[in-house]
Amino acid sequence: MSVFSTLIDQEQVIETLHGAISASKDNNSKSQAMTHAWLFTGPPGSGRSNAAVAFAAALVCEKGGCGSCSNCQSALAGVHSDVELVKTEGLSIKIDEIRELITRAAWSPAVGRYRVVVIEDADRLTESAANALLKAIEEPGAHTVWLLCAPTATDVLPTIRSRVRTLILRTPSTKSVAALLTKEGISEKMADFAARAAQGHIGRARYLAKSAEA
């Protein structure tokens, strides 16, 4: 099962990422499909963070995202030595945190070809933190890939926006969300109800389907 199998109704995004992965593994490739900085955008529940983490897993996987090897499994679980997942419970991501992150991102990969940094809420970067990150993106390390996530491209600084490749995820259809829940063992009736109630938000649909209290 591919690392991208949980991304619903995102065929164009997946195709772009597959092209990037192929280019990244071809030392003789002159393709511009792979770049060192990406921005994943989309409405809540579209799976933008999941897409970024799946891409990170694929970049450290010898097979390009098989979904079953130890590299894929540890990257998806957030414990891979070459993949750093930045989440925040606060209202902002401050400059000190970003400076420390930039230092770690410059380390050589432990097992793969890349060190991949996923920032789930790039829209929460303070202006000073965003400017610090901008400098790192402008002067990329040979083995560092930055994956930023935000609701829309306008939620990050224009200067960062101009230096990343932007991918736009869409809200999955109710039918597709219900089909995903059914594959996960939810009854068709409950899957359909949860998908409609969640209005295309995959995480919310899953929670509704599996939580009696919800």
Side-chain angles (χ1 to χ4, degrees):
M1 182 181 292
S2 165
V3 292
F4 299 114
S5 61
T6 59
L7 300 183
I8 306 302
D9 286 350
Q10 312 296 347
E11 289 79 8
Q12 188 172 356
V13 168
I14 294 172
E15 182 179 351
T16 298
L17 295 178
H18 274 307
I21 294 160
S22 296
S24 74
K25 296 185 182 301
D26 184 354
N27 293 326
N28 299 316
S29 175
K30 295 182 180 180
S31 169
Q32 300 298 310
M34 181 60 191
T35 185
H36 70 285
W38 298 74
L39 175 62
F40 292 77
T41 67
S46 60
R48 57 178 185 262
S49 296
N50 290 342
V53 173
F55 185 36
L59 289 173
V60 298
C61 172
E62 293 182 358
K63 299 178 181 178
C66 67
S68 56
C69 69
S70 60
N71 283 328
C72 282
Q73 292 293 319
S74 58
L76 294 174
V79 295
H80 194 285
S81 57
D82 290 332
V83 178
E84 182 147 4
L85 179 58
V86 180
K87 298 182 179 182
T88 180
E89 298 296 329
L91 296 176
S92 63
I93 302 174
K94 296 180 171 58
I95 187 170
D96 289 344
E97 185 177 353
I98 291 300
R99 283 173 174 164
E100 293 176 4
L101 183 64
I102 290 170
T103 298
R104 294 194 300 273
W107 296 346
S108 296
V111 295
R113 297 184 60 183
Y114 295 106
R115 278 192 63 80
V116 189
V117 182
V118 181
I119 302 180
E120 281 200 351
D121 300 295
D123 52 309
R124 298 189 191 182
L125 290 163
T126 63
E127 185 174 355
S128 57
N131 284 325
L133 178 60
L134 171 64
K135 187 174 182 181
I137 291 175
E138 286 178 328
E139 302 170 2
H143 304 288
T144 306
V145 179
W146 295 91
L147 307 180
L148 314 181
C149 306
T152 69
T154 56
D155 289 314
V156 300
L157 285 181
T159 45
I160 289 181
R161 200 161 64 230
S162 66
R163 288 166 175 78
V164 300
R165 181 166 299 164
T166 300
L167 297 176
I168 303 174
L169 282 78
R170 62 179 183 173
T171 301
S173 69
T174 298
K175 181 178 180 181
S176 296
V177 174
L180 174 65
L181 294 177
T182 302
K183 287 182 181 178
E184 295 178 355
I186 305 299
S187 69
E188 289 187 10
K189 183 177 180 180
M190 175 56 78
D192 181 64
F193 166 75
R196 285 187 287 107
Q199 298 181 327
H201 192 301
I202 298 171
R204 190 178 298 140
R206 187 178 285 121
Y207 178 65
L208 288 172
K210 296 183 178 181
S211 169
E213 290 183 4

